[in-house]
Amino acid sequence: MFTLPISETHAIAIDDSDEDSWSVYTVDFDKWTFESFDVEGEGSVQGAHYDESRDLVWIVAHGALFALQPSEEELFGAPQPPKDFFIYAVLGNTDQVYACGEYQNLWQFSWSSKQWTPLLEPGPKPPRSDDAQTQSQRVKEYARNHPPLYAGFAVGSDFVFCGALGALVRVRQGNVETTEIATGARLVSGHAENGHIVLSGDSNGAEIYKGDFDSGFELFFADKQPSLHRTALNDGDRFIAIAEYPASNLHNLYIYEDEELIPYNTGCAREPFPLTSLSTIGDTLWATDLAGMFRRKNGKWSYVGIEDLKSGAWPEDA
């Protein structure tokens, strides 16, 4: 199941266990209810972004874009960038939508013109060689020169994208700026936090950085377990958690205090598995895994799982 928190009280969950048929749930933690409908599936959901102005969910599945209109209970094919590349993430605002992916591709879609424009586009791939060693070297060199962008997020009115080899891209008022983290970490996620940018990497063990494009980034947390990099602030607490990849046998959720990891329990019907996301919206913390969603508000946790959604009944001990 893929879960996308869209506000302090609402989340959209997609049960994609059957890749040919998805069940979509709109979950309301304010009214303690949810609604559901089924659509034709398009594989496994890898990422999503909610456009509130259009009540539209952009979905990445198998490296391609789709659009979900909950009000119409409809999933339809979205306009694809004219260049064929594997898409890792999508996000946007009122008029622009951005898709990033392999070989540092970054494209912008305009609703007004209904056209895609490349913001970053790699040059042509080197010619193939019949010699296997030479071909392998050419492929690796091309990949190093054009590191993929795995994630994107808004920072005020800017949009920031991060990826392999410490790659960072900022789109500000139509201008594209690139930089990199000096360690060359594989940056797999990020978010805005109190005017700063927080970035998570998993290539040299877990690494979490904080900073900005102008003053640079500093490493504030590292661990030898590469999946220990999910992080968010809520109600003064710094949470750090295990991501779903690579596999780990550690406890899955911690509070980070005085440079120490303190194992944390939510007290819900079950504790989180490795997390697909950990994020803060307003005063609310969301923690999602492949089997459900956890919500923390005013220090109190609530939980709804895939079995609850399938049963059609809100859990009594949520």
Side-chain angles (χ1 to χ4, degrees), residues 88 101-105 121-127 134-150 163-168 180 184-186:
Y88 287 114
E102 66 177 344
Y103 298 123
Q104 209 167 18
N105 271 284
E121 184 181 12
K125 293 182 179 180
T134 300
Q135 176 62 18
S136 176
Q137 184 177 350
R138 287 179 180 178
V139 170
K140 290 179 180 179
E141 183 176 355
Y142 186 81
R144 283 194 299 270
N145 292 333
H146 306 289
L149 298 173
Y150 296 122
L165 301 179
L168 284 171
E180 60 186 30
R186 192 178 90 114

Side-chain angles (χ1 to χ4, degrees), residues 82 106-109 115-119:
L106 176 59
W107 290 67
Q108 179 189 74
F109 177 76
Q115 291 184 340
W116 285 95
T117 302
L119 301 182

